[in-house]
Amino acid sequence: DVRPFNLKTIWNDFRKVVSNKITLGYTICAGLVFGGLLGYLNSSRQIFQDYFGVGEKFALFFALSALSIGAASIVNSMIVRRFGMKLICHYAMIVTIVMSLIFLPLSMVENPLLIWHFMTYLIIVFFCMGLMFGNLNALAMEPMEHYAGIASAVVGSLSTGISAMIGAMIGQSYNNSLTPMFIGFLLLSVASFSLLTWLKKQH
C-alpha cells in the first residue's frame, strides 16, 4: 500500500517502532554489545602503546583483533540458516561472559597481563561480537515489515547512541590496567544475555 509521506505518518510509524518490545529489546542489546567495542576503541591506543609498549606494532595488533570480526561475519553467513540468529547470539554471548570471567581476575593478579593472553581474549570475544552484530539488528527489524524505513533509522540511531555513551564511559575509566575494560565487557555481556533470555520468552 502507498502511504502518505508527512509528519503524522512518520510520527505514527516512530511510535509503533519504539513501542514494540521485541524491536526495542534487540536494539538495546545491539547497543550494549557495540558499546563494549567502542570502549575498547576509545582506549586501544593507551592499552597497546602505554600498557604493552608495542610501539610501531600497534597497527598489527589492532588489525588482528579487527580481522576476527570480519571472519565472524563470513562464518555467520555460512551457519545462520542452519542454527538461526537467536541461537548464535545466545551462545556467542555465553562465550563472551565466560571469557570475561576468566580474564577479569587474571588481569587483577597478573599486572601487566601478557600480550598474548590479551590478544587471545580479544580475538575470541570480537569473533563473538562479529556473530552478534548483524543478527541482533536483523532480529530487531523482524517485526517491522511494514515500517522498515523508519525502523531502520530508529534502530541504527538508538543503538549507536547507547553504544557511544557506554563506550565513552569504558574508555574514560582506563587507569593503566585492563581491569576496567574487562569489568565493562562482563557487565555488558551479562546485561545483554539477560535481555536476550527475556526476549526469547516473548516470542
Side-chain angles (χ1 to χ4, degrees):
D1 294 338
V2 177
R3 306 172 70 237
F5 182 75
N6 52 47
L7 289 176
K8 182 179 179 181
T9 301
I10 294 172
W11 173 246
N12 288 336
D13 289 355
F14 174 80
R15 288 175 56 194
K16 288 183 173 73
V17 173
V18 297
S19 63
N20 187 291
K21 58 187 176 183
I22 301 300
T23 295
L24 191 59
Y26 283 116
T27 299
I28 293 172
C29 249
L32 294 175
V33 171
F34 195 49
L37 176 62
L38 288 186
Y40 159 75
L41 293 177
N42 282 335
S43 52
S44 60
R45 190 204 63 78
Q46 294 99 314
I47 289 173
F48 285 110
Q49 297 281 23
D50 302 335
Y51 185 84
F52 288 115
V54 299
E56 295 180 356
K57 294 180 180 178
F58 166 65
L60 173 63
F61 287 107
F62 189 86
L64 284 174
S65 60
L67 280 173
S68 63
I69 297 178
S73 299
I74 297 172
V75 172
N76 184 66
S77 67
M78 299 167 60
I79 65 174
V80 67
R81 290 194 177 186
R82 180 177 179 182
F83 297 105
M85 294 183 288
K86 295 173 192 172
L87 192 64
I88 291 173
C89 289
H90 179 84
Y91 282 106
M93 195 65 72
I94 289 176
V95 172
T96 303
I97 292 173
V98 170
M99 291 297 293
S100 298
L101 284 172
I102 292 172
F103 279 86
L104 174 57
L106 189 61
S107 70
M108 297 176 177
V109 174
E110 185 182 330
N111 190 15
L113 192 72
L114 296 178
I115 192 167
W116 68 269
H117 284 160
F118 183 63
M119 290 306 299
T120 299
Y121 175 84
L122 281 187
I123 289 171
I124 294 174
V125 169
F126 282 7
F127 185 86
C128 291
M129 285 186 175
L131 292 176
M132 289 186 282
F133 285 149
N135 288 330
L136 289 173
N137 283 321
L139 287 166
M141 291 294 296
E142 261 189 345
M144 295 290 109
E145 179 182 355
H146 302 294
Y147 314 100
I150 188 71
S152 178
V154 172
V155 169
S157 58
L158 183 56
S159 61
T160 300
I162 293 170
S163 62
M165 289 187 292
I166 293 172
M169 287 189 291
I170 294 176
Q172 291 299 315
S173 66
Y174 177 75
N175 61 353
N176 296 317
S177 80
L178 301 177
T179 301
M181 194 190 78
F182 288 131
I183 291 175
F185 270 79
L186 179 59
L187 293 178
L188 292 173
S189 301
V190 170
S192 300
F193 184 76
S194 300
L195 189 52
L196 282 179
T197 302
W198 179 81
L199 286 166
K200 283 178 66 177
K201 298 175 181 178
Q202 306 307 307
H203 286 275

